[in-house]
Each structure stands twice: as structure tokens, then as C-alpha cells.
Amino acid sequence: MSDIAIRVEHLGKAYQISHEQGRSRYRTLQEEIIGAIKRPFSRSADKRETFWALKDVSFEVKVGEALGIIGRNGAGKSTLLKILSRITRPTTGYADVYGRVGSLLEVGTGFHPELTGRENIYLNGAILGMTRRDIQRRFDEIVAFAEVENFLDTPVKRYSSGMYMRLAFAVAAHLEPEILVVDEVLAVGDAEFQKKCLGKMGDVAKEGRTVLFVSHNMSAIVSLCNRALLLENGRITVDANASQTVSSYLRTGMLDGEFCREVDRPGQKLTIKRVALLRNGQISTTFYTSDTLVVQIEFILRQRLAGAQIAFEFLTMLDECLFSSTNQDVIGDKPVFEAGEYVLCCPIELSIFRPGQYQIKVSSSIPGVEMLDIVEHPVLFDLLDDSSPVLKLGQDRRGLILPVLEWSLSTK
Ligand SMILES: Nc1ncnc2c1ncn2[C@@H]1O[C@H](COP(=O)(O)OP(=O)(O)OP(=O)(O)O)[C@@H](O)[C@H]1O
Ligand SMILES: [Mg+2]
């Protein structure tokens, strides 16, 4: 048996979209009449245009792989999943899928609204090619997972959207599909249910079944998937391991190493003009775990100001804040600045951080009184490993940071 679960070659999907020519939504009667006189034979003023939701998409998924698919709204993610689940046909290319697909798509396909929860479970099992006995074996598990015991004999059209989603997910995940395709299930449902779904998808992936997962939740993608595709305007722009793809996606729109503001901000009391990350006095985007990184912040004050606080947050690329720091922590509770230009420097030893990518976000305020400035772009850097702690402790150790602590041993 081949180890390929999905093979997609030069896949394209075109939609015909109509632009109503020169037509506003609300035309007056006069405009309608004039339009009819000007174009007596045209039945409609519509101009149809071809729009490619997917273009030349090719990739393969191995059996047992958990593949994440990310990208901005409208990038083509759901379109791709709909083609793989045979809900829509591609315009060009083809998608070969080897195995039974259990899918949970945003359209809530696979459920018949008039049928009850119970009937839908059996219907879906039958569609997946399962015997009645196989379905019976999984039935209680599905119902328990979905927590819909009391509504099993109610038509699903009467379900709340949360209940509907719970049952749809339970069916897709428990009816032993060889390939599980899930589109943004986490958007619906409460936090507890989201956690349960992620756990279940993790189990499915661990059992060696193939999972395709679309989400805007980057932490979920990284924790669940070993590989991810980035779709941009219908094309694959990154195909790499999940954390690399997530970082490239999050990087778009961010600046590296330095942030400078050319514009003056008239009328503002305080403006942060520049944020730079320095390595040995030079701006850098690459640091090593043995380095000390200096966050350098230049700001300009238009007037004398008491209590201005400049702060930064040190975050992972998934927006988890590892720590934050302010100039008031050390310089004093309420420093008074005269009008003028200043440079603040704050050194950070990097040895306790994991290799990876990080971002620094800078802002200024008078705490509890007013926000003075927020730097709109985080400044990014890569941290590479050149010192012992990580090598010694190993990347597998849990924790966002990796300190090496001084233990002592004595006899009692
Ligand atoms: N039936 C359709 N007719 C016309 N255009 C469509 C149709 N379905 C999708 N599109 C367009 O195709 C593009 C891709 O849509 P798709 O739903 O795949 O995006 P997505 O990546 O899933 O976005 P989101 O993150 O918002 O869910 C969008 O521009 C959308 O408007
Ligand atoms: Mg979508």
C-alpha cells in the first residue's frame, strides 16, 4: 500500500463573480428607465468575471501526517477542503484522496436537517462505508462526546449552532475516518469544547490517521500539526513544518531588527521615534543564546512630563508574553523628563530563552492616566542556539523558557 493519503496536482478553482456595471444597489426608477432606453436589448447589466480562488496548488500528504492550512480570510482554505471532501469540483487539476474522509466543514455538510441526531449518526456512518454494527460500537462514544443525550431524537434543525457543531465534530472524529478534514471548528463552541476537540484531533493524529486542519488559531496549528501550508491568494507560498509556516505567516507586516518613525506626530506629548535591537552595538535580527540583546528606544518629548513610562513586552510569535519591563522598574517611580530627545537602553541576557523567533512590542503611557504612544509594528529577532543550556537540557523539555537553575544537595 502506498503511504500517500492525498495527492493534489495543479489544482485550480474558478468562480464566476458578477460585477453589476455602474449599478449602485439602490437605483432610482428614473435610472432604471434611462438604463433600459440606453440598452434596450441587454437583459442584464451584469459583467461576469472569472475569479480564481485556488491557483496551481500541488502537494502531497502522507498517511498519518497532520497537516495545518493557514492563511488570511479569503485565501482559499475552505475551497481546498471542499474540493478534497468532494463537495465542489476543481476547475483545473485533480485531487486524489486515498481513504474514507470524515469532514467537518463550515457549511455543516453531511447532516440532514429533518433527521434526528440519532438518524444522522447512522446516515454518516453509512456514507463512510461502515456497517451498522461498527456504528453501534461507536454510538455511545459519539453521544457522550457531543453531550447531546437529551436531544438524540430531535431533528438537528432544532439544535443550537453549538450543539450542531458538537455532534458534527463527534461524528467526523469518531466514525473512524482514515482522513479527518476539519475547517475552523474552534471558532464555534466554548473554550472547554474547543479543548476537547483539539485533544480528540490529537488522538486521531496519534493513531496514525491523516488530519487536515484549517484554523486561525496559530497555537492550535503548532500543537496539533507537524506540517503546515500557507495559502496566499489561492496559492501555496510556504510548505514547511508547522512552526516555520506559522512564523512566516505572522511575520508578514512586521519589521525586523529596527522600527523607525519618519513622521512627526504633532500635538503628541511623547513620540517613540525608534526601536532597535542591538547585538554588540549593531542592529541585528539574529542573536545567539550566549548574547546580551540591548533594546534601544529613542523618544522625543515636546513638553516637561512627569511619570512617563516606556515599556516593552517580550513575546513569542504566538503572542505569548514571556515578560514585560518598564523604565520605571529601575529608574524610579515617577521620573520627570524635561522636553528633549532621549535614548533608553535595556540589556537582556538571552541564555534562558528557547531558540526560535521573538517579538518586542514597545509602548508608552502615564500609568493609570493616559496612553502616550504605541509602536504599531513589533520588532522581531531570531534566536539561535550556541550555548550549552539548550543543548544540555534538550528541546523536548516543557516550558516557554529554559533556565538552568542552581540546585544543591546536602545530607539531612
Ligand atoms: N461559491 C462561491 N462563489 C464565488 N466566490 C466564492 C465562492 N466560494 C468562495 N468564493 C471566494 O473564494 C475565495 C476563497 O474563499 P474561501 O472560503 O476558500 O477562503 P478561506 O481561506 O476559507 O477564508 P476564511 O479564513 O475567511 O474562512 C474568497 O474570495 C471567496 O469570496
Ligand atoms: Mg474558510
Side-chain angles (χ1 to χ4, degrees):
M1 207 185 96
S2 154
D3 65 343
I4 300 294
I6 296 172
R7 178 176 287 122
V8 170
E9 293 271 2
H10 305 295
L11 204 66
K13 176 72 187 176
Y15 286 116
Q16 298 298 321
I17 48 172
S18 58
H19 294 292
E20 299 200 355
Q21 232 175 18
R23 212 192 242 212
S24 72
R25 270 184 80 160
Y26 306 103
R27 293 217 308 180
T28 61
L29 179 63
Q30 187 188 10
E31 284 167 340
E32 287 286 350
I33 294 169
I34 292 172
I37 295 168
K38 280 187 180 162
R39 292 183 298 275
F41 301 110
S42 90
R43 283 206 318 217
S44 144
D46 281 5
K47 182 181 160 213
R48 296 190 76 77
E49 199 180 278
T50 304
F51 168 80
W52 288 88
L54 285 178
K55 272 175 282 188
D56 199 23
V57 167
S58 301
F59 63 94
E60 280 182 358
V61 187
K62 292 210 170 66
V63 171
E65 231 179 345
L67 179 74
I69 301 169
I70 58 174
R72 303 173 69 107
N73 296 128
K77 306 178 295 294
S78 300
T79 306
L80 177 59
L81 295 195
K82 280 182 208 156
I83 293 174
L84 295 177
S85 309
R86 306 279 180 242
I87 290 162
T88 36
R89 283 172 181 280
T91 313
T92 63
Y94 65 89
D96 283 341
V97 178
Y98 306 97
R100 289 175 310 179
V101 180
S103 55
L104 178 61
L105 304 184
E106 55 191 1
V107 279
T109 38
F111 274 8
H112 193 296
E114 300 293 339
L115 298 181
T116 64
R118 183 191 307 276
E119 289 162 341
N120 268 300
I121 295 175
Y122 279 95
L123 175 68
N124 272 268
I127 292 170
L128 278 172
M130 296 176 73
T131 63
R132 205 173 165 78
R133 182 181 297 184
D134 283 340
I135 304 169
Q136 253 153 8
R137 202 162 42 80
R138 309 307 303 261
F139 190 85
D140 291 343
E141 224 177 300
I142 292 174
V143 175
F145 188 95
E147 296 170 31
V148 292
E149 289 89 340
N150 298 334
F151 301 91
L152 266 181
D153 297 307
T154 307
V156 296
K157 68 177 180 191
R158 305 223 187 286
Y159 281 23
S160 73
S161 53
M163 285 161 60
Y164 191 94
M165 193 51 112
R166 278 166 191 266
L167 186 63
F169 181 86
V171 164
H174 288 80
L175 286 180
E176 299 178 347
E178 284 147 328
I179 302 170
L180 177 62
V181 174
V182 175
D183 194 349
E184 201 59 271
V185 63
L186 303 164
V188 187
D190 50 37
E192 200 189 325
F193 182 65
Q194 290 182 7
K195 229 167 109 188
K196 214 159 114 177
C197 288
L198 276 177
K200 182 63 198 167
M201 284 169 66
D203 292 347
V204 170
K206 276 195 215 103
E207 286 162 16
R209 286 184 273 157
T210 312
V211 176
L212 259 65
F213 178 41
V214 164
S215 181
H216 289 284
N217 178 334
M218 295 302 130
S219 313
I221 291 279
V222 171
S223 66
L224 203 76
C225 304
N226 36 27
R227 176 181 153 210
L229 305 178
L230 172 61
L231 277 181
E232 287 182 273
N233 300 320
R235 289 180 192 275
I236 295 178
T237 52
V238 182
D239 178 351
N241 76 46
S243 47
Q244 277 171 337
T245 307
V246 165
S247 323
S248 346
Y249 175 50
L250 296 175
R251 278 184 96 98
T252 37
M254 294 187 187
L255 295 182
D256 284 315
E258 185 182 20
F259 165 85
C260 285
R261 254 206 201 107
E262 299 297 329
V263 286
D264 208 12
R265 302 193 321 142
Q268 300 300 320
K269 296 176 196 158
L270 185 151
T271 296
I272 296 165
K273 293 202 70 169
R274 180 166 172 270
V275 178
L277 306 183
L278 306 182
R279 176 170 188 259
N280 303 325
Q282 303 289 320
I283 291 175
S284 182
T285 55
T286 305
F287 292 80
Y288 291 88
T289 42
S290 61
D291 287 340
T292 297
L293 175 155
V294 175
V295 181
Q296 191 184 56
I297 302 167
E298 293 179 18
F299 63 97
I300 180 163
L301 263 186
R302 298 266 167 233
Q303 62 188 70
R304 186 171 197 269
L305 207 59
Q309 174 179 283
I310 313 284
F312 68 79
E313 291 186 340
F314 186 109
L315 308 108
T316 67
M317 294 303 278
L318 298 175
D319 264 339
E320 298 150 324
C321 182
L322 294 185
F323 71 93
S324 45
S325 182
T326 84
N327 63 325
Q328 290 185 5
D329 297 351
V330 181
I331 294 174
D333 191 22
K334 281 201 169 25
V336 178
F337 292 103
E338 302 298 328
E341 293 198 31
Y342 296 85
V343 182
L344 278 168
C345 283
C346 176
I348 306 169
E349 283 192 26
L350 296 173
S351 60
I352 63 166
F353 301 106
R354 283 179 178 277
Q357 275 187 330
Y358 293 94
Q359 39 175 339
I360 305 275
K361 291 185 180 172
V362 179
S363 62
S364 172
S365 66
I366 301 175
V369 180
E370 66 177 308
M371 204 65 210
L372 297 169
D373 194 6
I374 298 177
V375 174
E376 55 272 31
H377 291 290
V379 185
L380 307 188
F381 68 96
D382 278 310
L383 181 60
L384 307 178
D385 182 23
D386 72 336
S387 57
S388 50
V390 178
L391 294 175
K392 202 163 69 191
L393 303 177
Q395 280 273 30
D396 291 343
R397 176 172 297 201
R398 281 161 57 80
L400 293 172
I401 56 171
L402 268 182
V404 181
L405 305 176
E406 294 278 333
W407 288 56
S408 66
L409 174 73
S410 54
T411 47
K412 215 176 153 190

